[in-house]
Amino acid sequence: MAGAIIENMSTKKLCIVGGILLVFQVIAFLVGGLIAPSPTTAVPYMSVKCIDVRKNHHKTKWLMPWGPNHCEKLKDFDEAVSRQIEANDIVFAVHIPLPSKEMSPWFQFMLFIMQLDIAFKMDNDLKENAEITLDVSLAYRDDMFDDWEEIAHAIEIRKLKCTFGSPKTLESEGRHYDCDYLPFMEIGSVAHKYYLINIRLPVNERKGINVGIGEIRDIRLMGIHQNGGFTKVWFAMKTFLTPSILIIMVWYWRRITLMTRAPVLLEKVIFALGISMTFINIPVEWFSIGFDWTWMLLFGDIRQGIFYAMLLSFWIIFCGEHMMDQNERNHLLGYWKQVGPIAVGSFCLFIFDMCERGVQLKNPFYSIWTTEVGTELAMAFIIVAGICLCLYFLFLCFMVFQVFRNISGKQSSLPAMSKARRLHYEGLIFRFKFLMLITLACAAMTVIFFIVSQVTEGHWKWGDITIQVNSAFFTGIYGMWNLYVFALMFLYAPSHKNYGEDQSNGDLGVNSGEELQLTTTITHVDGPTEVYKLARKEAQE
């Protein structure tokens, strides 16, 4: 009966805090759904076939597809054959962006995928497991009359995966293969207004370069970049949330330092989780507007990886600190079996990211998936990380099961305990159930909104109101995990007050063994958490 009263009255005390957090959560979703545009924009580009008959192609000027200094163009390859223009003298040119437009640093990144239009010819068929060699160059300029400055040049190989839906007969000549998209380029910043891509397909029959790749009619690129309007909303959220989490983190740690005891493991982990959340929130992206920081994508991945590793570690340690048994777990080594898979999995994903985006800092055309060795290495890292994640969830589920089993055993023996011990266990049970509830709610909302954002068209229209589902997913989930960390530090901060003279150990009937038991968890007799304090006050009333 006392436990039910404690839980009921404590829940009422938490309604104000929960209501405020819920309001901020709704605002986070509405900011993305109603104010921000869609997160990204996809722009199709059709390459222009230019003629370059100079002897040394690599030292010639850049070939522009349009404009006052545009190149000499080819309509199709039949014209090239009639004019006796060789394949090595043809350059596919793409200007970014389209005419009369400019790129902006607010776009943050550029991702390009390639699609080849390959026609079937009886005398030039596409071989099985064919590979295409690309001689690609990227340049930039900030004025339409400036010279182009080279950013990168590389020789890249891509595997062709194509199917042909018709019989390979004379009647089918000219029909196109159905080919998969190929990874082409990724840049972590958009610091310039104009970009130019020149693509050559060098042919060397003696070395077998670009032989047996069919008749390539056209090269299409699909460019994806972040919307400037979404970037501004995203930066504004980061700028607002950074001081919010930083203030509650300072307040939380100050509460801990006011205690006469040393911080326990769970308190340290919650504080570390707050630091990792602050690390994500700090809006260093503002500097990318004025600086060409191509490493921002990699830096963002590292920040997210640290936060998720801390979050997974926190769940394990939180369950362990609420086991309510006699084992001493107030040190990180006691959780090496559970935290070990997190460390190994995080390290594997970090190495994979360094092999992909780390190399792209020097060569934006690089992709680890384009070679057999790279693909096997990438899959090995991903599989190891997946195994570690499965092991982690098995450990987590087992620990949650143990906690609930111990809760059932403790609840049956609560009436026979002394007042202090009973209140101690009722506080543990209440706050464990409370955190499990909000954790499951956060995880469920993350999964639900992710699925909705994938299966919908990207926006919902209700009358004159358009809701951007994908933007709402990003801002809402980002705000939700910030509120989750905020709530943790607020509700689990130790109180700076003592129980009072009338609530001494003797008055509560606590013997030395019971006092030792109280010190093994965060609800230390020197200062209870906010949740435990609320539960205890309501029980006394």
Side-chain angles (χ1 to χ4, degrees), residues 391-409:
L391 290 175
Y392 166 81
F393 277 108
L394 288 175
F395 281 127
L396 182 62
C397 292
F398 178 69
M399 293 183 72
V400 171
F401 168 76
Q402 283 186 310
V403 173
F404 276 108
R405 185 184 61 183
N406 292 343
I407 284 176
S408 299

Side-chain angles (χ1 to χ4, degrees), residues 36 61 77 135 185 212 333 349 475 497 513 531:
K61 67 177 183 179
F77 281 95
D135 183 344
M185 181 183 73
L333 290 177
L349 293 178
T475 59
K497 299 177 182 178
V531 173

Side-chain angles (χ1 to χ4, degrees), residues 6 52 58 161 217 246 260 267 339 374 390 411 443 478 497:
I6 291 173
D52 185 8
H58 296 293
K161 297 181 180 180
R217 296 284 180 88
L246 191 60
T260 58
E267 291 172 336
V339 178
C390 292
Q411 283 178 325
Y478 173 61
K497 299 177 182 178

